[in-house]
Amino acid sequence: MTRDTYLKRSLGTQANRIKQSRVLLVGAGGIGCELLKNLLLTGFGEVHLIDLDTIDLSNLNRQFLFRHEHIKRSKALVAKEAAQTFQPSANIVAHHANIKDSQFNVDWFATFDVVFNALDNLDARRHVNKMCLAADVPLVESGTTGFNGQVQVIKKGKTECYDCNSKEVPKSFPVCTIRSTPSQPIHCIVWAKSYLLPELFGTSEADAEEFDYSADADNAEEIENLQKEARALKEIRQSMGTSEFTEKVFEKVFREDIERLRGMEDMWKTRKAPEPLDLAQLNEALSTAEPGISSMDQRAWTLSENMAVFKDSLDRLSTRLRTLQESAADNSQAVLTFDKDDVDTLDFVTASANLRAKIFEIETKSKFDTKQMAGNIIPAIATTNAMTAGLCVLMSLKVLKDDYENAKMVFLERSGARAINSEKPNPPNPNCPVCSVTNAKVKIDLKRATLDDLVGNVLRQQLEYRGEFSVSTTQGTIYDPDLDDNLPKKLSDLGIAESSFLTVVDEEDEQPRVNLQFVVVAPAESTWQEQPIVLDKVPEIPRKPKAPTPAPESEHVNGTASLGKRKRDAEEAGLDNGDPPTKRVANVTISDGVDKTHPIDLMEDEGGAILIDD
Ligand SMILES: Nc1ncnc2c1ncn2[C@@H]1O[C@H](COP(=O)(O)OP(=O)(O)OP(=O)(O)O)[C@@H](O)[C@H]1O
Ligand SMILES: [Zn+2]
């Protein structure tokens, strides 16, 4: 019996197709490592793997292809090396690069049978979604947070895309909560990380995205005061490197600012007023702090221990910033930013947040907890990643059979009646700005082509746009009826390059055409003699539907399943769910140490066996 005997039995006639497939895996992190292993063990013959990052100590607990000696090496290259040892015959191609690089253009995407996303950020996911739609390649999108996981198949024209629904934006806090009236540990942590640290060692608070001024619009006086505080702190920054620096910072943020706040009596009618800290008293108690306290990250530190770490980390950061400033050509570029894996910034944020928490009588947090909270980390769980990666492969088998009806959205969760829930894929949202568009490829000679070539020759003449329309890039609008100054400019001067997207919006009131999305192909050394802009082929651009048809109701909101209605019964178990009739081909008993009295039924439909019902 060979290693893949059972594999061949379960995959049936699909095994060959899988072996000949060429797939792309984007991300070699938590899901990516599991998925690479699964793809190879399922027999996928050619896997291209891309990741921009290097291996970090904190990856090792779940990214099982990596070992301690691989730290700082490329994730993609090490993953390839490790996986190749257990599947030497597979063709694995690794790229240590960003998937957004222009070399990975739409033609390159189009060479794959399936693309798998195993990413950790919205921006890269959106990019791959767009590229796969433009190249008309199916995408298996996946993600996990803690115990929750999700897998979704995306195919142009058949299912909804990643951008058919709006995505939740990261949580922000009103600035007054953070700066004046904190009531939870997270408020103190955000204050230390997004205000105090950047104000002392980085760029100004105006750039900190965790502050939201909009909710405080009525509070102009308080905002003005806060801005004054920030200016005062900038002055203190000048004394960095002198013996008074620590004292000045402490006195400013833990005494003076708090005394000023206490003075605003209206604020404390319904809340307990904050109590400033006393520097002299704390300095006296310093000797009671245990040495090496910073490495004790599991318990909340005492007040004097926080003071000790505050002083020490402030010194470490000051020294680092000064060294950086000395070697940087431009002083403004020498900044220190928060990184949960940078022990100096984490110590500083933990200690400062806890000192502030004492002032407001808020619970203090351990360094370990602070790291999770400040890094917006929900712990990654290896089992969730493994299950999700397994489901990705099962869905890709449907994709290879062109069976999009059954390429379901799958949700993993811990609470609720079932760990795995699924629902039929939703059709594309007709109003989606990303997928309900006509895609077309346009070849541009960037040395010559002007916006007028595009607007006049291609859009008006060739594609017969008669009325009003606009043209935009991901950076903004470059042409509309009131913005024609750009017409003589070269497209390259308007930021257009290889793999740029250009969106043409028909602004007519009466039955406008759907948006037209061009993806740019721009050979670096162009030698062609024809027009500077050439359409790959003339696209057919349908008119928009009259009234938007609402997308069918989904039981899932933001990826969380509502389980109320879901009861598992024989029908749902796949035996009579409208699937094409299945043909039983084998009644196999697995003999290797498995209970012989319970044979496993394998069922095969036309394209291959189905081992697990979905
Ligand atoms: N634009 C991109 N191009 C290529 N790879 C990317 C891109 N954006 C993110 N990635 C990769 O996707 C992977 C996502 O994996 P995962 O969610 O496990 O994150 P991680 O960085 O390994 O772990 P953690 O964030 O928990 O420390 C990472 O390895 C990351 O480098
Ligand atoms: Zn869409």
Side-chain angles (χ1 to χ4, degrees):
M1 189 174 72
T2 61
R3 180 173 155 189
D4 56 1
T5 301
Y6 289 126
L7 181 69
K8 282 188 177 149
R9 280 189 201 164
S10 4
L11 294 174
T13 48
Q14 222 187 349
N16 254 345
R17 171 89 177 90
I18 291 170
K19 194 163 182 201
Q20 281 153 19
S21 298
R22 181 180 149 97
V23 301
L24 169 64
L25 170 54
V26 190
I31 298 178
C33 282
E34 291 285 341
L35 193 44
L36 177 63
K37 172 257 294 168
N38 291 352
L39 289 171
L40 295 173
L41 294 182
T42 310
F44 280 85
E46 183 171 345
V47 182
H48 290 238
L49 173 66
I50 177 164
D51 199 300
L52 50 69
D53 210 0
T54 52
I55 295 158
D56 196 82
L57 176 68
S58 65
N59 300 145
L60 301 185
N61 68 343
R62 62 192 186 287
Q63 298 173 21
F64 73 100
L65 297 174
F66 309 143
R67 296 285 177 272
H68 202 274
E69 63 269 23
H70 297 139
I71 289 173
K72 298 264 176 279
R73 286 189 55 204
S74 151
K75 283 186 170 178
L77 302 181
V78 173
K80 173 195 148 94
E81 258 172 49
Q84 198 79 74
T85 57
F86 60 79
Q87 200 65 307
S89 62
N91 181 8
I92 311 171
V93 182
H95 305 269
H96 181 197
N98 189 329
I99 191 60
K100 292 179 79 180
D101 288 352
S102 61
Q103 54 176 313
F104 307 116
N105 60 17
V106 85
D107 289 341
W108 182 76
F109 269 85
T111 62
F112 296 102
D113 296 295
V114 189
V115 174
F116 294 87
N117 260 355
L119 286 161
D120 59 354
N121 64 85
L122 222 70
D123 183 49
R125 283 190 163 105
R126 287 203 156 124
H127 177 81
V128 178
N129 178 52
K130 256 186 172 178
M131 294 305 268
C132 287
L133 291 165
D136 199 11
V137 173
L139 168 64
V140 180
E141 162 61 47
S142 59
T144 61
T145 36
F147 290 106
N148 296 334
Q150 189 169 329
V151 179
Q152 176 189 6
V153 169
I154 295 170
K155 166 75 177 167
K156 184 162 173 68
K158 295 198 170 160
T159 70
E160 64 183 358
C161 83
Y162 189 70
D163 271 325
C164 275
N165 302 304
S166 53
K167 299 283 179 292
E168 225 183 305
V169 286
K171 202 168 183 312
S172 67
F173 300 96
V175 70
C176 283
T177 307
I178 300 304
R179 295 278 295 277
S180 311
T181 53
S183 57
Q184 296 169 23
I186 185 68
H187 298 152
C188 298
I189 292 170
V190 169
W191 173 84
K193 170 192 149 187
S194 302
Y195 166 68
L196 189 59
L197 180 81
E199 224 49 53
L200 291 174
F201 300 105
T203 39
S204 162
E205 66 167 344
D207 309 322
E209 60 191 29
E210 276 161 304
F211 290 130
D212 176 4
Y213 285 92
S214 58
D216 299 302
D218 309 341
N219 222 341
E221 192 195 334
E222 177 59 1
I223 300 277
E224 173 53 31
N225 277 331
L226 296 177
Q227 283 167 352
K228 248 191 241 162
E229 271 182 14
R231 281 194 292 273
L233 211 49
K234 273 207 170 125
E235 271 178 46
I236 292 181
R237 205 173 152 151
Q238 308 304 320
S239 64
M240 193 179 298
T242 68
S243 55
E244 301 118 59
F245 181 59
T246 310
E247 194 174 306
K248 277 187 176 171
V249 175
F250 183 97
E251 285 288 66
K252 166 89 181 67
V253 298
F254 299 128
R255 190 179 61 78
E256 287 164 29
D257 290 349
I258 304 301
E259 277 169 359
R260 188 191 63 73
L261 267 182
R262 268 180 81 91
M264 303 184 72
E265 285 167 10
D266 280 355
M267 240 184 220
W268 315 112
K269 279 187 179 146
T270 54
R271 308 180 175 94
K272 188 165 180 318
E275 289 289 339
L277 294 177
D278 184 331
L279 177 67
Q281 222 175 355
L282 274 175
N283 271 339
E284 251 172 53
L286 260 188
S287 54
T288 62
E290 272 188 62
I293 184 69
S294 151
S295 59
M296 295 173 199
D297 63 354
Q298 299 286 332
R299 65 163 174 87
W301 299 326
T302 63
L303 185 57
S304 6
E305 286 169 344
N306 277 305
M307 182 64 183
V309 178
F310 172 76
K311 279 184 138 180
D312 188 47
S313 59
L314 202 61
D315 281 350
R316 279 181 271 152
L317 291 170
S318 306
T319 311
R320 267 173 66 182
L321 185 65
R322 277 185 303 125
T323 318
L324 210 62
Q325 282 168 341
E326 277 156 23
S327 59
D330 173 4
N331 226 3
S332 67
Q333 282 176 355
V335 288
L336 297 176
T337 50
F338 178 77
D339 177 347
K340 65 181 170 36
D341 297 316
D342 172 343
V343 71
D344 299 340
T345 59
L346 180 61
D347 278 349
F348 178 76
V349 166
T350 308
S352 314
N354 283 337
L355 291 174
R356 184 166 174 85
K358 288 276 183 201
I359 290 171
F360 288 89
E361 284 196 12
I362 296 170
E363 180 198 353
T364 57
K365 289 280 172 190
S366 70
K367 180 167 154 181
F368 182 82
D369 287 344
T370 306
K371 179 173 178 175
Q372 313 293 309
M373 292 164 81
N376 294 330
I377 305 169
I378 297 170
I381 295 178
T383 322
T384 318
N385 285 341
M387 289 169 78
T388 301
L391 290 164
C392 288
V393 177
L394 291 180
M395 288 307 125
S396 73
L397 301 185
K398 313 271 181 192
V399 167
L400 289 179
K401 284 196 279 183
D402 222 7
D403 182 12
Y404 290 98
E405 273 283 288
N406 289 305
K408 295 186 179 157
M409 303 262 271
V410 190
F411 302 89
L412 284 183
E413 56 174 31
R414 197 183 188 201
S415 55
R418 293 169 60 183
I420 302 182
N421 297 281
S422 64
E423 65 179 38
K424 292 246 175 218
N426 288 326
N429 170 0
N431 295 314
C432 173
V434 177
C435 70
S436 286
V437 300
T438 295
N439 289 98
K441 216 159 56 175
V442 65
K443 202 168 132 197
I444 300 185
D445 181 353
L446 287 173
K447 282 205 240 91
R448 290 190 289 155
T450 63
L451 182 59
D452 202 20
D453 292 324
L454 180 77
V455 170
N457 299 349
V458 177
L459 294 172
R460 286 199 197 284
Q461 279 185 24
Q462 242 184 307
L463 298 179
E464 301 179 346
Y465 275 79
R466 297 282 176 246
E468 301 201 333
F469 61 89
S470 66
V471 180
S472 43
T473 67
T474 40
Q475 267 101 52
T477 306
I478 54 171
Y479 169 79
D480 69 25
D482 301 322
L483 175 70
D484 52 12
D485 311 358
N486 286 333
L487 283 173
K489 292 191 187 157
K490 281 201 185 150
L491 288 173
S492 53
D493 294 336
L494 294 166
I496 290 154
E498 168 71 40
S499 290
S500 292
F501 284 97
L502 282 165
T503 308
V504 183
V505 181
D506 188 351
E507 313 260 358
E508 286 301 279
D509 295 334
E510 277 294 305
Q511 282 233 288
R513 300 174 184 206
V514 302
N515 295 358
L516 170 62
Q517 188 167 270
F518 285 124
V519 61
V520 173
V521 181
E525 282 306 319
S526 84
T527 47
W528 83 79
Q529 301 294 316
E530 347 157 21
Q531 296 293 324
I533 304 186
V534 181
L535 282 175
D536 197 41
K537 67 173 193 265
V538 177
E540 252 184 60
I541 314 165
R543 304 273 162 189
K544 280 190 185 159
K546 273 208 168 109
T549 10
E553 243 179 61
S554 155
E555 284 175 27
H556 299 273
V557 182
N558 292 332
T560 327
S562 68
L563 289 164
K565 296 197 264 164
R566 292 215 165 253
K567 237 190 331 157
R568 187 159 176 77
D569 55 27
E571 241 176 43
E572 252 194 308
L575 301 175
D576 183 19
N577 62 356
D579 285 346
T582 53
K583 188 169 59 155
R584 185 159 296 194
V585 290
N587 194 328
V588 187
T589 304
I590 307 281
S591 55
D592 303 336
V594 179
D595 183 358
K596 289 188 183 172
T597 56
H598 292 96
I600 294 174
D601 285 345
L602 298 183
M603 295 183 287
E604 182 163 357
D605 64 9
E606 282 149 16
I610 301 166
L611 233 194
I612 302 171
D613 102 270
D614 51 2

PDB file of all heavy atoms in Angstrom, residues 82-101:
ATOM      1  N   ALA A  82      10.723  23.385   4.067  1.00  0.00           N
ATOM      2  CA  ALA A  82      10.196  22.391   5.009  1.00  0.00           C
ATOM      3  C   ALA A  82       9.183  21.475   4.321  1.00  0.00           C
ATOM      4  O   ALA A  82       9.200  20.264   4.527  1.00  0.00           O
ATOM      5  CB  ALA A  82       9.547  23.099   6.198  1.00  0.00           C
ATOM      6  N   ALA A  83       8.317  22.062   3.494  1.00  0.00           N
ATOM      7  CA  ALA A  83       7.258  21.265   2.872  1.00  0.00           C
ATOM      8  C   ALA A  83       7.821  20.343   1.795  1.00  0.00           C
ATOM      9  O   ALA A  83       7.332  19.237   1.595  1.00  0.00           O
ATOM     10  CB  ALA A  83       6.193  22.188   2.287  1.00  0.00           C
ATOM     11  N   GLN A  84       8.867  20.805   1.165  1.00  0.00           N
ATOM     12  CA  GLN A  84       9.452  20.005   0.085  1.00  0.00           C
ATOM     13  C   GLN A  84       9.971  18.663   0.625  1.00  0.00           C
ATOM     14  O   GLN A  84       9.943  17.652  -0.065  1.00  0.00           O
ATOM     15  CB  GLN A  84      10.604  20.798  -0.561  1.00  0.00           C
ATOM     16  CG  GLN A  84      11.014  20.297  -1.919  1.00  0.00           C
ATOM     17  CD  GLN A  84      10.081  20.753  -3.048  1.00  0.00           C
ATOM     18  OE1 GLN A  84      10.107  21.899  -3.431  1.00  0.00           O
ATOM     19  NE2 GLN A  84       9.252  19.856  -3.549  1.00  0.00           N
ATOM     20  N   THR A  85      10.398  18.658   1.904  1.00  0.00           N
ATOM     21  CA  THR A  85      10.963  17.415   2.460  1.00  0.00           C
ATOM     22  C   THR A  85       9.898  16.323   2.560  1.00  0.00           C
ATOM     23  O   THR A  85      10.210  15.159   2.442  1.00  0.00           O
ATOM     24  CB  THR A  85      11.585  17.628   3.860  1.00  0.00           C
ATOM     25  OG1 THR A  85      10.565  18.163   4.693  1.00  0.00           O
ATOM     26  CG2 THR A  85      12.773  18.557   3.815  1.00  0.00           C
ATOM     27  N   PHE A  86       8.646  16.687   2.823  1.00  0.00           N
ATOM     28  CA  PHE A  86       7.653  15.610   2.900  1.00  0.00           C
ATOM     29  C   PHE A  86       6.885  15.414   1.593  1.00  0.00           C
ATOM     30  O   PHE A  86       6.065  14.520   1.480  1.00  0.00           O
ATOM     31  CB  PHE A  86       6.718  15.752   4.118  1.00  0.00           C
ATOM     32  CG  PHE A  86       5.898  17.010   4.170  1.00  0.00           C
ATOM     33  CD1 PHE A  86       4.747  17.145   3.407  1.00  0.00           C
ATOM     34  CD2 PHE A  86       6.258  18.039   5.021  1.00  0.00           C
ATOM     35  CE1 PHE A  86       3.983  18.288   3.475  1.00  0.00           C
ATOM     36  CE2 PHE A  86       5.502  19.194   5.099  1.00  0.00           C
ATOM     37  CZ  PHE A  86       4.360  19.329   4.330  1.00  0.00           C
ATOM     38  N   GLN A  87       7.118  16.250   0.595  1.00  0.00           N
ATOM     39  CA  GLN A  87       6.490  16.028  -0.715  1.00  0.00           C
ATOM     40  C   GLN A  87       7.497  16.423  -1.803  1.00  0.00           C
ATOM     41  O   GLN A  87       7.356  17.443  -2.472  1.00  0.00           O
ATOM     42  CB  GLN A  87       5.195  16.862  -0.816  1.00  0.00           C
ATOM     43  CG  GLN A  87       4.206  16.420  -1.855  1.00  0.00           C
ATOM     44  CD  GLN A  87       3.617  15.044  -1.588  1.00  0.00           C
ATOM     45  OE1 GLN A  87       4.358  14.079  -1.398  1.00  0.00           O
ATOM     46  NE2 GLN A  87       2.305  14.938  -1.584  1.00  0.00           N
ATOM     47  N   PRO A  88       8.554  15.635  -1.943  1.00  0.00           N
ATOM     48  CA  PRO A  88       9.648  16.044  -2.836  1.00  0.00           C
ATOM     49  C   PRO A  88       9.222  16.197  -4.290  1.00  0.00           C
ATOM     50  O   PRO A  88       9.825  16.974  -5.029  1.00  0.00           O
ATOM     51  CB  PRO A  88      10.667  14.913  -2.703  1.00  0.00           C
ATOM     52  CG  PRO A  88      10.231  14.078  -1.553  1.00  0.00           C
ATOM     53  CD  PRO A  88       8.802  14.333  -1.306  1.00  0.00           C
ATOM     54  N   SER A  89       8.172  15.502  -4.705  1.00  0.00           N
ATOM     55  CA  SER A  89       7.837  15.558  -6.127  1.00  0.00           C
ATOM     56  C   SER A  89       7.025  16.803  -6.499  1.00  0.00           C
ATOM     57  O   SER A  89       6.883  17.122  -7.678  1.00  0.00           O
ATOM     58  CB  SER A  89       7.040  14.308  -6.517  1.00  0.00           C
ATOM     59  OG  SER A  89       5.836  14.311  -5.780  1.00  0.00           O
ATOM     60  N   ALA A  90       6.507  17.525  -5.494  1.00  0.00           N
ATOM     61  CA  ALA A  90       5.670  18.687  -5.824  1.00  0.00           C
ATOM     62  C   ALA A  90       6.539  19.841  -6.314  1.00  0.00           C
ATOM     63  O   ALA A  90       7.690  19.993  -5.894  1.00  0.00           O
ATOM     64  CB  ALA A  90       4.891  19.123  -4.597  1.00  0.00           C
ATOM     65  N   ASN A  91       5.979  20.611  -7.212  1.00  0.00           N
ATOM     66  CA  ASN A  91       6.685  21.810  -7.670  1.00  0.00           C
ATOM     67  C   ASN A  91       6.233  22.990  -6.803  1.00  0.00           C
ATOM     68  O   ASN A  91       5.126  23.489  -6.958  1.00  0.00           O
ATOM     69  CB  ASN A  91       6.342  22.031  -9.154  1.00  0.00           C
ATOM     70  CG  ASN A  91       7.053  23.242  -9.719  1.00  0.00           C
ATOM     71  OD1 ASN A  91       7.919  23.828  -9.056  1.00  0.00           O
ATOM     72  ND2 ASN A  91       6.693  23.630 -10.938  1.00  0.00           N
ATOM     73  N   ILE A  92       7.089  23.408  -5.873  1.00  0.00           N
ATOM     74  CA  ILE A  92       6.739  24.535  -4.986  1.00  0.00           C
ATOM     75  C   ILE A  92       7.597  25.732  -5.395  1.00  0.00           C
ATOM     76  O   ILE A  92       8.825  25.626  -5.465  1.00  0.00           O
ATOM     77  CB  ILE A  92       7.009  24.212  -3.502  1.00  0.00           C
ATOM     78  CG1 ILE A  92       6.398  22.854  -3.116  1.00  0.00           C
ATOM     79  CG2 ILE A  92       6.459  25.299  -2.598  1.00  0.00           C
ATOM     80  CD1 ILE A  92       6.799  22.375  -1.723  1.00  0.00           C
ATOM     81  N   VAL A  93       6.945  26.843  -5.654  1.00  0.00           N
ATOM     82  CA  VAL A  93       7.683  28.056  -6.047  1.00  0.00           C
ATOM     83  C   VAL A  93       7.432  29.104  -4.966  1.00  0.00           C
ATOM     84  O   VAL A  93       6.266  29.430  -4.687  1.00  0.00           O
ATOM     85  CB  VAL A  93       7.190  28.581  -7.414  1.00  0.00           C
ATOM     86  CG1 VAL A  93       7.983  29.806  -7.834  1.00  0.00           C
ATOM     87  CG2 VAL A  93       7.266  27.489  -8.468  1.00  0.00           C
ATOM     88  N   ALA A  94       8.500  29.597  -4.323  1.00  0.00           N
ATOM     89  CA  ALA A  94       8.310  30.534  -3.217  1.00  0.00           C
ATOM     90  C   ALA A  94       8.759  31.940  -3.599  1.00  0.00           C
ATOM     91  O   ALA A  94       9.786  32.116  -4.264  1.00  0.00           O
ATOM     92  CB  ALA A  94       9.096  30.053  -2.005  1.00  0.00           C
ATOM     93  N   HIS A  95       7.993  32.935  -3.188  1.00  0.00           N
ATOM     94  CA  HIS A  95       8.368  34.336  -3.422  1.00  0.00           C
ATOM     95  C   HIS A  95       8.399  35.056  -2.082  1.00  0.00           C
ATOM     96  O   HIS A  95       7.382  35.085  -1.397  1.00  0.00           O
ATOM     97  CB  HIS A  95       7.326  35.065  -4.282  1.00  0.00           C
ATOM     98  CG  HIS A  95       7.037  34.400  -5.580  1.00  0.00           C
ATOM     99  ND1 HIS A  95       7.721  34.690  -6.729  1.00  0.00           N
ATOM    100  CD2 HIS A  95       6.121  33.472  -5.909  1.00  0.00           C
ATOM    101  CE1 HIS A  95       7.232  33.967  -7.727  1.00  0.00           C
ATOM    102  NE2 HIS A  95       6.259  33.219  -7.254  1.00  0.00           N
ATOM    103  N   HIS A  96       9.539  35.641  -1.752  1.00  0.00           N
ATOM    104  CA  HIS A  96       9.594  36.496  -0.563  1.00  0.00           C
ATOM    105  C   HIS A  96       9.275  37.909  -1.042  1.00  0.00           C
ATOM    106  O   HIS A  96      10.166  38.673  -1.412  1.00  0.00           O
ATOM    107  CB  HIS A  96      10.996  36.413   0.068  1.00  0.00           C
ATOM    108  CG  HIS A  96      11.123  37.252   1.297  1.00  0.00           C
ATOM    109  ND1 HIS A  96      12.318  37.605   1.839  1.00  0.00           N
ATOM    110  CD2 HIS A  96      10.195  37.808   2.108  1.00  0.00           C
ATOM    111  CE1 HIS A  96      12.128  38.345   2.914  1.00  0.00           C
ATOM    112  NE2 HIS A  96      10.841  38.487   3.091  1.00  0.00           N
ATOM    113  N   ALA A  97       7.995  38.252  -1.083  1.00  0.00           N
ATOM    114  CA  ALA A  97       7.596  39.530  -1.693  1.00  0.00           C
ATOM    115  C   ALA A  97       6.174  39.900  -1.272  1.00  0.00           C
ATOM    116  O   ALA A  97       5.453  39.090  -0.688  1.00  0.00           O
ATOM    117  CB  ALA A  97       7.647  39.395  -3.210  1.00  0.00           C
ATOM    118  N   ASN A  98       5.823  41.138  -1.589  1.00  0.00           N
ATOM    119  CA  ASN A  98       4.472  41.641  -1.323  1.00  0.00           C
ATOM    120  C   ASN A  98       3.587  41.292  -2.518  1.00  0.00           C
ATOM    121  O   ASN A  98       3.967  41.550  -3.660  1.00  0.00           O
ATOM    122  CB  ASN A  98       4.562  43.164  -1.160  1.00  0.00           C
ATOM    123  CG  ASN A  98       3.265  43.760  -0.662  1.00  0.00           C
ATOM    124  OD1 ASN A  98       2.179  43.239  -0.944  1.00  0.00           O
ATOM    125  ND2 ASN A  98       3.370  44.845   0.083  1.00  0.00           N
ATOM    126  N   ILE A  99       2.423  40.751  -2.239  1.00  0.00           N
ATOM    127  CA  ILE A  99       1.529  40.354  -3.335  1.00  0.00           C
ATOM    128  C   ILE A  99       1.082  41.579  -4.147  1.00  0.00           C
ATOM    129  O   ILE A  99       0.643  41.450  -5.292  1.00  0.00           O
ATOM    130  CB  ILE A  99       0.298  39.568  -2.794  1.00  0.00           C
ATOM    131  CG1 ILE A  99      -0.514  38.907  -3.906  1.00  0.00           C
ATOM    132  CG2 ILE A  99      -0.615  40.442  -1.952  1.00  0.00           C
ATOM    133  CD1 ILE A  99       0.228  37.905  -4.732  1.00  0.00           C
ATOM    134  N   LYS A 100       1.248  42.773  -3.554  1.00  0.00           N
ATOM    135  CA  LYS A 100       0.837  43.973  -4.277  1.00  0.00           C
ATOM    136  C   LYS A 100       1.902  44.462  -5.270  1.00  0.00           C
ATOM    137  O   LYS A 100       1.658  45.402  -6.019  1.00  0.00           O
ATOM    138  CB  LYS A 100       0.490  45.091  -3.284  1.00  0.00           C
ATOM    139  CG  LYS A 100      -0.773  44.763  -2.479  1.00  0.00           C
ATOM    140  CD  LYS A 100      -1.115  45.837  -1.497  1.00  0.00           C
ATOM    141  CE  LYS A 100      -1.811  47.003  -2.180  1.00  0.00           C
ATOM    142  NZ  LYS A 100      -2.153  48.064  -1.211  1.00  0.00           N
ATOM    143  N   ASP A 101       3.082  43.849  -5.258  1.00  0.00           N
ATOM    144  CA  ASP A 101       4.127  44.274  -6.202  1.00  0.00           C
ATOM    145  C   ASP A 101       3.623  44.142  -7.639  1.00  0.00           C
ATOM    146  O   ASP A 101       2.889  43.198  -7.959  1.00  0.00           O
ATOM    147  CB  ASP A 101       5.380  43.396  -6.055  1.00  0.00           C
ATOM    148  CG  ASP A 101       6.120  43.693  -4.762  1.00  0.00           C
ATOM    149  OD1 ASP A 101       5.746  44.660  -4.086  1.00  0.00           O
ATOM    150  OD2 ASP A 101       7.050  42.927  -4.424  1.00  0.00           O
TER     151      ASP A 101
END
